[in-house]
Amino acid sequence: MPDLWTDLLACMDLRLRPTAPQTGDDDAPAADPQATLSVFEGPNQQLEYHRLFGGQLLAQFLRAAVFACPDKAVKSVHVIFAREGKSDAPVYYVVQPQHRGRSFATLTIVARQKGDVIATALVSMTAMEDGRQSQEIAAPSPLPGPEHRIEIGLIPWETRSLTDLSDKSVGPAEYDLWMRTPEVGPELAPGLVAYATDLNVIGTVLRQLDGFEHSGNGTEFTSATTSHTLWFHRPFRSDDWLLLRHHGTVLAHGRAYGRGDVLTTDGTLVASFAQEALLRFRP
């Protein structure tokens, strides 16, 4: 199996499918001959459990949007996860522009695999422009030293935190995670950050409960992301240190909801995210 970083970068290199193949791949939808609809094929991460990680789909949705509308940047994306994807077949991203103007564009993207819809996205894009700037948000705490480096299974880059999400005692439903990828182009930064934001919202919500932590999925509880939204406020690089500040907001009726912000070391707010997930506890 390839190393996780190389594997992830390969997943972000989508391939345009001008037409559906004639043989051997009947699952691939055809591109619109009038060019109002485009189809991109995305390879999958090769993970041990042979399921698709939602962060991969988030990253690929963002790449598909930029490939389909290269003159604009993504300002927000809202994704609904319909069913579990598998790693043994490619995912096809069917991009349908809903509106294209000088300042904004709106796209709908459907992720299909083996004939089924596994996720859908509504993407809003913008042409970058200058203007007044302000923000009101708490400044980040100092970057933890290298002794606070942690390992997160699906993240193939350096991460640091002062909080242990594997601690089963009750604590505040907050989690600060610092991250820095290897050197990579800024065009990949939104997708890489989106990938990381899918990992720790459920674990942050679970900090409210005594005796539970995020690795209990499949034994003590069942969890799965049902929807995920990101907003991108300013350009940024992922190979500079970024703080992913998580807040576990509510757990009710078998669903968990959390949100977060992404800040640079100097406190600049560059992105925000929110997630709802299925969270059912075993009797």
Side-chain angles (χ1 to χ4, degrees):
M1 298 178 69
D3 71 89
L4 187 56
W5 174 246
T6 302
D7 196 26
L8 177 56
L9 290 183
C11 288
M12 300 180 74
D13 187 17
L14 305 187
R15 183 163 65 99
L16 178 65
R17 298 296 298 263
T19 59
Q22 298 301 310
T23 60
D25 198 2
D26 295 334
D27 180 49
D32 189 303
Q34 302 302 317
T36 60
L37 183 149
S38 52
V39 180
F40 297 91
E41 179 181 340
N44 297 322
Q45 291 178 285
Q46 300 304 304
L47 304 176
E48 292 182 357
Y49 51 81
H50 305 297
R51 299 191 305 273
L52 295 188
F53 169 50
Q56 173 198 309
L57 298 179
L58 290 171
Q60 290 178 328
F61 272 126
L62 293 174
R63 297 300 291 156
V66 172
F67 288 151
C69 193
D71 61 325
K72 294 180 174 61
V74 175
K75 68 183 183 72
S76 67
V77 56
H78 179 63
V79 176
I80 300 292
F81 295 96
R83 55 170 53 87
E84 182 180 272
K86 301 294 184 181
S87 62
D88 61 351
V91 179
Y92 297 98
Y93 294 87
V94 184
V95 183
Q96 175 69 63
Q98 302 298 327
H99 163 260
R100 280 187 176 177
R102 286 178 295 180
S103 298
F104 301 108
T106 304
L107 312 174
T108 55
I109 308 177
V110 178
R112 304 183 68 94
Q113 187 182 58
K114 298 183 178 181
D116 293 326
V117 173
I118 61 172
T120 59
L122 179 62
V123 183
S124 181
M125 307 188 73
T126 184
M128 301 302 292
E129 59 183 85
D130 295 327
R132 296 185 182 184
Q133 296 192 37
S134 67
Q135 67 177 54
E136 184 173 342
I137 192 168
S141 55
L143 171 68
E147 67 275 16
H148 296 289
R149 184 169 181 164
I150 61 173
E151 298 294 331
I152 299 178
L154 285 171
I155 294 188
W157 52 74
E158 186 174 2
T159 51
R160 299 180 187 178
S161 182
L162 300 178
T163 301
D164 182 6
L165 274 189
S166 64
D167 184 353
K168 291 189 174 184
S169 58
V170 174
E174 299 177 352
Y175 181 57
D176 282 3
L177 178 70
W178 288 90
M179 61 163 272
R180 182 178 62 179
T181 70
E183 185 174 354
V184 70
E187 72 278 1
L188 297 182
L192 293 171
V193 164
Y195 177 93
T197 62
D198 190 41
L199 277 166
N200 295 302
V201 173
I202 295 172
T204 305
V205 172
L206 286 170
R207 297 201 72 210
Q208 305 172 53
L209 305 179
D210 188 28
F212 294 94
E213 50 91 14
H214 61 116
S215 68
N217 185 25
T219 55
E220 299 169 337
F221 57 85
T222 299
S223 66
T225 302
T226 54
S227 64
H228 197 99
T229 301
L230 295 112
W231 298 264
F232 297 99
H233 311 303
R234 297 178 171 105
F236 61 92
R237 297 189 66 96
S238 63
D239 49 13
D240 293 329
W241 281 106
L242 296 169
L243 170 62
L244 276 60
R245 180 185 283 165
H246 300 72
H247 304 278
T249 308
V250 64
L251 170 64
H253 301 289
R255 302 190 308 276
Y257 168 79
R259 55 185 175 81
D261 296 306
V262 183
L263 299 99
T264 61
T265 53
D266 66 1
T268 301
L269 179 66
V270 296
S272 300
F273 59 95
Q275 183 184 93
E276 184 192 62
L278 167 75
L279 187 52
R280 292 177 179 152
F281 292 87
R282 302 294 175 89

